[in-house]
Amino acid sequence: MIADAGNRGRVTEVAASTGRSDRPFRPWVPYFVLVLSVVLSVAAAGYVAMAARQRDRIRFQNAVQDVRDSIQGRIETYTALLRAGTGLFAESGTVSRLGFQAFVSRLDLPQRYPGIQGIGYIARTAKDDVPELVKSMRIQGASAFHIDPAGDRPEYYPVIYLDPFSGRNRTAIGYDMWTDPVRRAAMERARDTGMPAASGRVMLVEEVDGRRQPGFLIFVPVYEGGQVPETEAARRASLIGFVYSPFRAGDVLKEILDAHTRYHVSLQVFDGTTHDAAHMLYDSGTPAHAGPALGPRFTTTASFVLAGRSWDLAFTTRPDFYEESSASQLPLILAGGLIISLVLFGVARLEAQARSEAERAAAELRISEEALRESESRLRRLVDANIIGIIIADLGGRIIEANDAFLSIVGYTRGDLQAGRVNWGALTPDEYRPVIDQALEDTRRVGRHEPFEAGYIRKDGSVVPALVGTAFLGGRQNLVVGFLLDLTERKRAEREREELLQREREAHAEAQAANRAKDAFLATVSHELRTPLNAILGWAKMLHMGHLDESRKARAVEVIERNAQMQVRLIEDLLDVSRITAGKLRLDVRPVELGPVLQTALDAVRPAADAKGVKLDWRFDASPDVVLGDAERLQQIFWNLLSNAIKFTPQGGAVMLVLERTDGAVIVRVTDTGIGMAPDFLPHIFEPFRQADSSTTRSHSGVGLGLAIVRHLVEIHGGTIRAQSEGERCGSTFIVELPARPVVEAAAGDGPFTEARVDGVAD
């Protein structure tokens, strides 16, 4: 816009220099015609708007009066029904439940009186008469009748009849209206005046479903003898009950308002003169309207007294109120006036413009030439700024000009450019030639092409990634201008981001694998705990039944003892894992000679080896091998390794235990001829919850904690453990290396300590 204003200024200056005037003859005439036409159009629209507003106001007032009268008439009709109900009690004194139902049924409330929830009767009941009332109601068919809420009161006012007896009305039977302050105030007013009385805004007892809405009640007192006593004291004494009706305000008022939709007004009904949410009985809302809301909004508040209760009705016009208004003609009037005004203005303006058109064309030609020179100057400044690489080349690939940024990207010097050694074709790798050829074809055909990424060969032979764009300049040489943005840093960032994402994916995969291992561990623990427990329970039940002879009893005791020991070992492993995880595994650290410890472990597993037919052999150095540690935990380490070796070695196999000493270390090897391990499982052998076969149907028991515990026990003793195997069915070797302690030093060693902090087993 600034450039356009400048161009117009230059046109005026050029025209003035030629000695001619570009102003039309009588230049004020077109504008005078335009202003006069617009003024007349606005005046006509204003008159129409004023008349339409007056007619709309009258329509609105009529709508307010009609809706108000309809609401008041409907409520008065309902009140008359309740008075008829009092006549029923005045006529017969007492009315049975079936008789009251027949009376209400004859009224045909849903069809003839829409909006009313029902007609009910409230019996004034003394405290001593409550049992008789409950008994009577249950005899009449209300088997679950009781007064709610319960409590000790001098008098009760329960609802004993409410018909139609269906849906929401069932929940109100037995409710003591006198216990609610709002209802009680209306009942007291009806009792003392002998007139119908409406309650304030309440939430009806009948509101039990999800569509809850506020409501109100109208009470008509019933006196002994059917006549209203003359004094207030007499009315209080002779009151026997109330005929009443509950109303859902939304249902009543919506049904009335739906009959007056032609008025297009919104209605809010408030209990009393306070207009807030706590006193609102009904809000019709404002429907969505796509068209414009023309004209002002009309609002008013109408009040009337409903059975001694004041209601405020707040009326507001809806957007569709104006669809029937003559104000809808305003846009047509304004549009027509403006069109006529513009036509007249255009005719007058055409004559004024004709004289200056030729001079303006000549001036614009000179301005275009000047703009072209300025554009070339700006392009030169952009090239010299070296923000991005810029070249000028012909369609044959010969680079004629280039800025320093381009030469820096491709690694050539300006001398190379001037010598003709920089050629577009020589810079392009073979894999990008189809893309470059297509881009040049698009440039020749449509003057430009979409930017694309390509690689270019630098002078040193490396390839630099770049974002390329070209535009056709034309001329006799068919020149193009090319733009190159070096993408080296961005590509490096993308590679780093991809590597980071790959590491994250690997970490995620490891976490998922760990979770699967834990799930498998839980399944295995459940299986391992349940298996010996089933054996114990089975044999214990057989012992309890007394059906076993002496030999089978001994067998039963043996099986129970063996399975109990299995559970003890499993639980001890789990407790060790818990202690290791908490970092509070207790150790009694002393100088320990390994020979006796290993011999004890051998003695412990020898029965299992003999029972399975596995040969158990050992070889110890003659010199004593002393380490600093906890003898029981060391025995646990080697017992676990020997037990695993025997468990995974088939019948006829062999297990060898070797103890030897090297410089500063004691090495214990446990070698078996068992099933061995796959090479891909070896790195995970000491991880918790990991087993080569983790299914619950595997042939060997265990939960995958033993070797994890062994590794941590070895590490807190300052040693290391590793496993070796040539593969499946090739046996395994576990090598434990512990720091040795000279015998003399061990004899003078430190006293024990009882607790060691260790890393947890949990991954």
Side-chain angles (χ1 to χ4, degrees):
M1 294 177 64
I2 295 174
D4 185 51
N7 291 342
R8 288 197 297 268
R10 295 190 189 95
V11 171
T12 302
E13 293 172 3
V14 172
S17 66
T18 61
R20 300 180 183 179
S21 173
D22 66 333
R23 294 179 297 171
F25 181 72
R26 293 181 181 179
W28 52 270
V29 173
Y31 299 100
F32 175 76
V33 172
L34 177 63
V35 171
L36 180 61
S37 302
V38 171
V39 169
L40 292 176
S41 300
V42 172
Y47 174 78
V48 172
M50 182 174 61
R53 178 177 176 82
Q54 186 63 28
R55 288 192 292 271
D56 292 343
R57 186 185 300 278
I58 294 173
R59 280 200 303 132
F60 178 67
Q61 291 173 350
N62 291 338
V64 170
Q65 186 64 38
D66 193 5
V67 173
R68 178 184 179 279
D69 292 346
S70 296
I71 295 175
Q72 190 167 8
R74 180 67 61 84
I75 300 301
E76 288 176 354
T77 300
Y78 294 155
T79 304
L81 289 177
L82 297 180
R83 288 183 182 275
T86 62
L88 177 68
F89 285 89
E91 179 182 348
S92 58
T94 59
V95 179
S96 68
R97 184 166 179 261
L98 294 178
F100 190 81
Q101 287 178 343
F103 166 72
V104 176
S105 177
R106 287 194 298 271
L107 295 177
D108 194 13
L109 295 179
Q111 299 298 324
R112 299 174 59 186
Y113 305 97
I116 189 171
Q117 289 292 109
I119 297 178
Y121 179 66
I122 301 171
R124 182 183 184 184
T125 307
K127 177 181 179 180
D128 296 337
D129 296 334
V130 169
E132 184 64 28
L133 173 65
V134 173
K135 179 180 179 182
S136 173
M137 289 300 298
R138 293 181 176 177
I139 291 174
Q140 295 183 62
S143 58
F145 179 83
H146 66 281
I147 297 178
D148 182 46
D152 189 11
R153 299 184 285 278
E155 288 184 332
Y156 298 83
Y157 291 82
V159 177
I160 63 174
Y161 305 143
L162 180 57
D163 291 286
F165 187 65
S166 62
R168 299 185 179 91
N169 290 344
R170 295 176 180 272
T171 61
I173 300 299
Y175 178 68
D176 188 350
M177 293 285 187
W178 201 259
T179 59
D180 177 61
V182 178
R183 293 174 172 83
R184 179 174 180 174
M187 295 166 69
E188 289 177 340
R189 191 168 71 253
R191 178 198 64 190
D192 295 343
T193 62
M195 300 295 292
S199 73
R201 179 183 184 272
V202 297
M203 192 62 66
L204 299 177
V205 180
E206 293 88 339
E207 295 289 350
V208 294
D209 57 15
R211 300 186 301 107
R212 295 171 61 85
Q213 56 177 267
F216 62 95
L217 305 98
I218 298 179
F219 301 92
V220 178
V222 179
Y223 300 98
E224 292 181 356
Q227 299 296 323
V228 179
E230 296 182 356
T231 65
E232 180 177 311
R235 287 192 288 270
R236 291 189 175 188
S238 61
L239 178 73
I240 62 174
F242 298 89
V243 176
Y244 85 103
S245 279
F247 299 89
R248 300 181 85 211
D251 292 349
V252 174
L253 297 171
K254 183 178 184 304
E255 192 276 334
I256 296 173
L257 196 61
D258 286 347
H260 299 81
T261 55
R262 65 184 183 278
Y263 291 131
H264 307 297
V265 295
S266 297
L267 173 64
Q268 290 182 326
V269 180
F270 298 92
D271 175 34
T273 58
T274 302
H275 294 189
D276 57 20
H279 293 78
M280 181 181 290
L281 287 168
Y282 176 70
D283 184 0
S284 67
T286 301
H289 183 68
L294 301 175
R297 288 168 54 89
F298 294 110
T299 60
T300 189
T301 300
S303 301
F304 72 92
V305 177
L306 166 68
R309 190 79 182 180
S310 177
W311 278 12
D312 273 5
L313 309 179
F315 293 89
T316 305
T317 56
R318 300 189 319 202
D320 52 0
F321 178 85
Y322 300 99
E323 292 179 354
E324 300 179 5
S325 172
S326 56
S328 60
Q329 301 176 5
L330 287 177
L332 296 177
I333 295 173
L334 287 173
L338 290 176
I339 291 173
I340 295 173
S341 301
L342 291 174
V343 169
L344 294 175
F345 174 75
V347 171
R349 182 67 175 166
L350 284 175
E351 182 183 358
Q353 290 177 341
R355 293 180 55 188
S356 61
E357 192 63 33
E359 294 180 359
R360 184 180 300 276
E364 289 179 350
L365 178 60
R366 288 189 290 271
I367 292 171
S368 297
E369 293 175 352
E370 182 180 349
L372 179 59
R373 289 192 295 270
E374 290 181 359
S375 178
E376 291 175 351
S377 177
R378 286 195 293 270
L379 178 59
R380 172 55 59 186
R381 288 195 295 270
L382 175 62
V383 171
D384 295 339
N386 290 313
I387 299 174
I388 61 175
I390 301 177
I391 63 170
I392 295 178
D394 58 23
L395 294 175
R398 184 171 62 93
I399 298 177
I400 300 172
E401 294 185 27
N403 65 349
D404 293 339
F406 174 80
L407 295 174
S408 176
I409 291 174
V410 298
Y412 285 88
T413 64
R414 190 160 296 280
D416 295 329
L417 176 65
Q418 294 171 353
R421 289 190 291 269
V422 185
N423 185 276
W424 191 267
L427 296 175
T428 306
D430 293 339
E431 62 267 25
Y432 290 107
R433 287 189 183 278
V435 180
I436 299 297
D437 293 342
Q438 183 61 45
L440 291 176
E441 178 62 27
D442 293 343
T443 302
R444 182 186 298 108
R445 183 166 45 86
V446 299
R448 57 179 296 277
H449 67 82
E450 293 296 328
F452 63 90
E453 293 184 11
Y456 290 97
I457 302 173
R458 291 171 51 86
K459 186 177 181 179
D460 59 8
S462 60
V463 178
V464 57
L467 181 67
V468 184
T470 60
F472 189 61
L473 296 179
R476 289 175 299 180
Q477 295 179 296
N478 287 332
L479 299 179
V480 296
V481 59
F483 304 92
L484 276 80
L485 179 63
D486 190 352
L487 300 180
T488 302
E489 292 301 323
R490 194 182 79 176
K491 293 296 183 181
R492 180 183 298 110
E494 290 177 354
R495 288 195 300 271
E496 292 176 354
R497 183 174 66 253
E498 183 61 30
E499 292 173 358
L500 179 60
L501 290 175
Q502 181 61 30
R503 289 196 295 271
E504 290 180 354
R505 286 192 289 267
E506 292 174 356
H508 181 67
E510 291 178 0
Q512 288 183 326
N515 286 334
R516 288 194 297 269
K518 287 184 179 179
D519 292 341
F521 165 72
L522 293 176
T524 302
V525 167
S526 301
H527 177 76
E528 293 295 331
L529 285 173
R530 186 172 59 250
T531 299
L533 186 60
N534 288 338
I536 293 173
L537 291 175
W539 283 103
K541 185 174 181 180
M542 294 174 67
L543 286 172
H544 179 72
M545 294 173 63
H547 294 164
L548 301 178
D549 55 24
E550 291 302 324
S551 62
R552 289 178 61 81
K553 285 182 181 179
R555 171 64 176 165
V557 172
E558 178 187 353
V559 172
I560 291 173
E561 181 181 4
R562 184 174 66 254
N563 283 278
Q565 289 175 352
M566 289 174 60
Q567 284 206 329
V568 167
R569 286 196 297 271
L570 177 58
I571 292 172
E572 286 178 352
D573 284 347
L574 293 173
L575 290 175
D576 282 343
V577 170
S578 175
R579 296 186 190 103
I580 292 172
T581 303
K584 293 185 177 181
L585 185 65
R586 297 182 178 275
L587 298 177
D588 184 8
V589 180
R590 301 174 181 275
V592 177
E593 187 176 347
L594 275 185
V597 171
L598 296 177
Q599 192 63 51
T600 302
L602 285 169
D603 294 340
V605 300
R606 183 173 286 105
D610 294 341
K612 193 174 182 181
V614 175
K615 181 181 179 182
L616 187 61
D617 201 358
W618 65 94
R619 187 179 71 250
F620 297 167
D621 284 348
S623 59
D625 298 297
V626 179
V627 298
L628 189 63
D630 186 321
E632 291 185 2
R633 293 299 181 180
L634 290 172
Q635 181 180 339
Q636 179 181 356
I637 293 171
F638 300 115
W639 176 87
N640 205 320
L641 293 176
L642 289 169
S643 296
N644 274 358
I646 294 171
K647 178 168 62 175
F648 292 105
T649 299
Q651 183 177 5
V655 174
M656 170 65 80
L657 175 64
V658 177
L659 170 63
E660 56 189 13
R661 184 185 183 100
T662 62
D663 294 337
V666 176
I667 298 177
V668 180
R669 302 177 188 269
V670 178
T671 303
D672 63 69
T673 60
I675 63 175
M677 290 173 284
D680 58 346
F681 184 68
L682 272 177
H684 309 287
I685 187 65
F686 295 107
E687 294 180 7
F689 321 128
R690 296 297 293 264
Q691 292 178 301
D693 179 8
S694 59
S695 65
T696 57
T697 59
R698 63 194 185 278
S699 57
H700 302 287
S701 61
V703 295
L705 290 178
L707 291 179
I709 295 173
V710 165
R711 176 175 65 89
H712 283 276
L713 290 177
V714 170
E715 288 177 353
I716 63 175
H717 280 83
T720 61
I721 183 171
R722 62 186 185 274
Q724 296 175 349
S725 178
E726 296 297 327
E728 295 182 357
R729 295 185 297 276
C730 295
S732 303
T733 299
F734 288 85
I735 303 172
V736 177
E737 185 173 343
L738 297 171
R741 188 168 186 182
V743 177
V744 176
E745 181 185 352
D750 300 329
F753 61 90
T754 60
E755 186 173 288
R757 301 288 299 186
V758 296
D759 293 335
V761 168
D763 48 22

